[in-house]
Each structure stands twice: as structure tokens, then as C-alpha cells.
Amino acid sequence: MLTKVSLPAGLEYILLGILLGPSFSNWLNVNFGLNIPNLVDDNMLRQMAPGIAAATGIIGLVYGLRFKVSDFQNADSEHIRVATFDIIFSVLVIGGISFSVFYFYLFPDAKIENILAASAALGIMGSVSSNSLIKSIMNRYQITGKITSALDVSTKINLDINIFLFGLLFGIIHIGSTNTFIKSPIEWIVTSILLALLIGILLNIFLGREEDEKKFFVAIIGTIVFTSGIGYFINISPLFMNFILGFILANFSKIAGKIEKPLTKISEPVGILVVIMAGFNWIPLPPIFFIVAAAAFILIRFVSKRFSGYLAYASSFEKDKLIPNIGLGLLPQDIIVCAMIVDYINVYQNEFTNLVVSCILTSMIFFGLISYRLSKRLLIDAGEIRGAAK
């Protein structure tokens, strides 16, 4: 699901998680006088949390292993332009508007760090685009045109940079930092990266010559669990720490290929679990507030993506490689957002949590339903899907 299937294929698991979650059964009990028991209580959730953190860690490692510096260096400057404009504009617009609404209107008495964390999370997760959707269109119609290539490369860069930005959020606005000897945001960021670097070096030393596939696989899983456990314990995203670990191995180690092969076998069921847990943790908001908030977030994201794409085109030097409405291809959100939601919930439990989760999940469902058709129509209009393929 993470690399072979387009985003809409994961929507049913979000809905399944919502249906299985305690919030949905409580809603049915209150509104219809039912007595449906919760399948999982708070104690069970706390016991499952380290395991779920390991699951997000597996996803992070898979993405990190595919983040090659050489790919970035070889990327066309116009493709980098699209990704850069998309990330900067979307994060600033979505995050900035969210902060203004929270600070001046909805939660004027909330702690500033909570407002900043929620606004940044909405900006970063709202900025994420899906590379798997454009890959699925490329594979289905066997196309390799200029616009298709621009979307493929720019969405890949978008994913890598946004995972990194998401991890930085946990260091910049760190929960529990006053209880440790590490105080400043820079110290938390550097500490998390150095820990991932150290684990990568040790993994390379001990497994560099290992030939037994079973032992190798067990060692990899143990390393992911260990790295995710550290992240979980120090309130740094396990997704981020394993992403950094994967990046280090992909670019500075010869065992990256050996690691990626066994992880591919388990990435789909692990991805399904994470998507279900994202939906499972959803807690409904008051109906009117939910509709207004979700609709506003979807609208802001749509406008920011469309406008960032147009800005990239307007400022490009080689306009034949882009089109004015290329932003339509940046609208789908990747399944990685569900892993971000899970990590966010584990650390940032405050008055903004339910609002952030509700907006992001609703956005994923909405854009998941419409984005395949919009992206396909974009490539048809660009002349890259022709004839019977339409």
C-alpha cells in the first residue's frame, strides 16, 4: 500500500478504524440508546502504543531507504522548484491561517506552544502530497511525459522534506523537555539525529557481512523496535528517527538494499495497521464546528496547492516542463500522513488534538476520493494520456 497502491485504496482502512474506535461506539450509544461495548479501552491503547510506534518506525525506515541524495542532485531544477514552492507556500499558508484563527479567535487562552504545534502540524501534514498516486497512473497508462515526470519527482521530494520537517516539530516544540538535562530545541533535534546516526553505524558494523536472511530480518526488526522505542520514550517521532536511520543507511552503507528487500514484504500489512489506528484514534467534534473546520481546511489546502503550482510555473525558466494548473497533481495526500497522525497523537495531547486529527482525516478522505480523477484529467489535458487510455 505504501508504494504500489494509490491513496484511495487506503481510505477503507481509515473508515474501518473509525468504525472500530471507541468514539464511534460511544456516539451510537449516546444518540441511539445502544449499549455497544468498546473493543479496546484506554489501558489496552497504552499497552499497544510502543508497538504502534514501531509500526510507524517501519514506514519511516522504508521511506528513508528510498531518499537518495543522488536522486535529489540529479533532479531537474524545475521539478525542485515545484516541490519547493509547494512545501513553503502550503506550510506557511495553512499553518499561518491556522495559527491566526487559533490564537485570535478559537483558543485565545491556550498555551502558545500548543497553538504553534497544532498550526505547524496542520501546515506540514496539509502540505504532504502523494507520490504513490502518480506512480499508479504512470504504471497503469505507461506514460513518461514531462508533466508526469514533474509530478513524480516533485511529490517524492515533497514527501521526504515534509517527513523531515515533521520530525523537527517534535524537537522545536518538545513535550517534557523541562524534565531532562536537554533543554533547547536544537539540542533535541541534534540528539535525535545523532542517535539515529549511531544506530545506523552499529547496524552497518554488525550486519555488514551477515548472510543468513532470517537472522538479518530479525536484527532489522529489533533495530526498528529499539529506534522507535527511543523516539517514543523521549517524545520524538519514531517515524522521523527511523526515516533518518534509513536515509543514513541508503546514502552511506552498502546494506540498504538487503534491508529494503525484507521490509517490503511487511510494509503493506504494517501500513494498513497504521492507517486503521489513525482512524481508531479519531474523536468527533461538535457537528457544526467539525463541518466548518474541515471544510475550511480542505478549501485552504486546495487553494494553496493550486496557487503554489501556478507560482512554480510562472517563475520557471523552462515553461514547457510545467503547466499552470500543475497544482491539481499535488492535491492527493500520501498514506504517510496517517503515520504522522499516530505520532502526533502520542505526544501532543491537548485541546487541539481532536481538531487536528479531524481536519487531516477528513482532508485525506475528500482528496482521496477526487484526486485520482483530477490528476488523470490533468495529464489528459496535458496530452500525456491519449486515445483509449482516456
Side-chain angles (χ1 to χ4, degrees):
M1 183 176 63
L2 296 174
T3 57
K4 296 181 180 180
V5 182
S6 61
L7 178 62
L11 295 182
E12 66 269 29
Y13 298 112
I14 295 177
L15 297 175
L16 177 61
I18 292 173
L19 294 176
L20 292 176
S23 298
F24 183 72
S25 59
N26 289 338
W27 181 80
L28 290 176
N29 293 340
V30 171
N31 290 279
F32 297 96
L34 302 178
N35 190 26
I36 302 174
N38 291 332
L39 299 177
V40 180
D41 58 24
D42 291 340
N43 185 51
M44 292 177 64
L45 276 177
R46 285 192 293 269
Q47 294 175 349
M48 292 167 58
I52 301 301
T56 65
I58 291 174
I59 297 174
L61 186 61
V62 169
Y63 276 77
L65 288 170
R66 292 171 182 163
F67 185 10
K68 307 289 199 306
V69 172
S70 58
D71 292 342
F72 189 85
Q73 292 173 333
N74 296 330
D76 189 287
S77 60
E78 301 300 347
H79 300 169
I80 296 175
R81 184 190 307 276
V82 173
T84 303
F85 273 72
D86 180 28
I87 294 169
I88 294 176
F89 194 79
S90 296
V91 170
L92 290 179
V93 170
I94 298 173
I97 293 177
S98 299
F99 178 85
S100 299
V101 173
F102 293 159
Y103 185 78
F104 293 106
Y105 299 103
L106 295 183
F107 303 96
D109 298 324
K111 294 181 179 179
I112 189 65
E113 58 267 28
N114 291 342
I115 298 177
L116 287 170
S119 303
L122 285 170
I124 294 168
M125 287 190 271
S127 172
V128 173
S129 296
S130 175
N131 179 255
S132 60
L133 187 141
I134 190 64
K135 284 287 190 186
S136 70
I137 295 177
M138 291 172 65
N139 294 334
R140 180 173 181 179
Y141 297 108
Q142 298 296 302
I143 53 175
T144 55
K146 291 183 179 180
I147 306 306
T148 304
S149 178
L151 288 174
D152 181 32
V153 175
S154 62
T155 53
K156 179 64 171 62
I157 296 172
N158 172 290
L159 283 172
D160 293 332
I161 300 303
N162 274 314
I163 294 173
F164 186 75
L165 291 177
F166 182 73
L168 294 185
L169 169 63
F170 287 75
I172 295 172
I173 306 175
H174 189 267
I175 303 300
S177 60
T178 57
N179 300 324
T180 66
F181 62 92
I182 303 176
K183 300 296 183 181
S184 72
I186 297 298
E187 289 175 329
W188 278 112
I189 293 170
V190 172
T191 297
S192 60
I193 293 176
L194 287 179
L195 285 171
L197 174 61
L198 176 61
I199 293 170
I201 293 173
L202 294 175
L203 186 65
N204 189 60
I205 292 174
F206 289 108
L207 293 182
R209 298 184 179 182
E210 180 59 62
E211 299 296 335
D212 189 311
E213 290 187 3
K214 292 183 179 179
K215 291 182 180 179
F216 194 89
F217 179 76
V218 171
I220 294 301
I221 296 300
T223 301
I224 294 172
V225 171
F226 179 70
T227 306
S228 300
I230 292 176
Y232 180 79
F233 178 75
I234 65 175
N235 285 340
I236 295 291
S237 167
L239 172 75
F240 169 73
M241 288 198 63
N242 281 278
F243 175 77
I244 296 298
L245 173 60
F247 169 78
I248 292 168
L249 293 172
N251 292 278
F252 303 103
S253 172
K254 296 180 180 180
I255 66 173
K258 294 170 63 178
I259 295 175
E260 187 174 345
K261 182 179 178 180
L263 286 182
T264 301
K265 299 178 182 179
I266 63 171
S267 62
E268 182 172 341
V270 168
I272 290 173
L273 173 63
V274 170
V275 174
I276 290 175
M277 288 308 301
F280 187 90
N281 283 290
W282 173 73
I283 297 177
L285 300 170
I288 301 300
F289 182 57
F290 166 72
I291 293 172
V292 172
F297 180 80
I298 289 170
L299 177 61
I300 294 168
R301 184 176 186 273
F302 180 85
V303 172
S304 67
K305 288 284 185 178
R306 288 295 307 275
F307 194 61
S308 66
Y310 178 78
L311 285 178
Y313 167 79
S315 63
S316 64
F317 295 104
E318 300 175 86
K319 288 186 167 51
D320 61 310
K321 294 183 178 180
L322 305 177
I323 52 178
N325 59 339
I326 194 171
L328 286 174
L330 305 174
L331 288 173
Q333 285 179 280
D334 196 85
I335 288 297
I336 197 72
V337 173
C338 288
M340 292 179 174
I341 287 174
V342 171
D343 279 359
Y344 179 83
I345 291 172
N346 283 337
V347 174
Y348 298 103
Q349 285 288 344
N350 52 53
E351 64 268 45
F352 297 95
T353 306
N354 298 337
L355 176 59
V356 170
V357 174
S358 294
C359 288
I360 297 299
L361 286 181
T362 306
S363 172
M364 287 192 67
I365 294 171
F366 177 81
F367 287 110
L369 291 173
I370 70 169
S371 291
Y372 187 91
R373 181 177 298 178
L374 289 177
S375 298
K376 180 183 173 183
R377 173 52 57 183
L378 173 71
L379 296 176
I380 290 174
D381 293 342
E384 298 187 5
I385 296 179
R386 299 185 179 92
K390 296 183 182 181

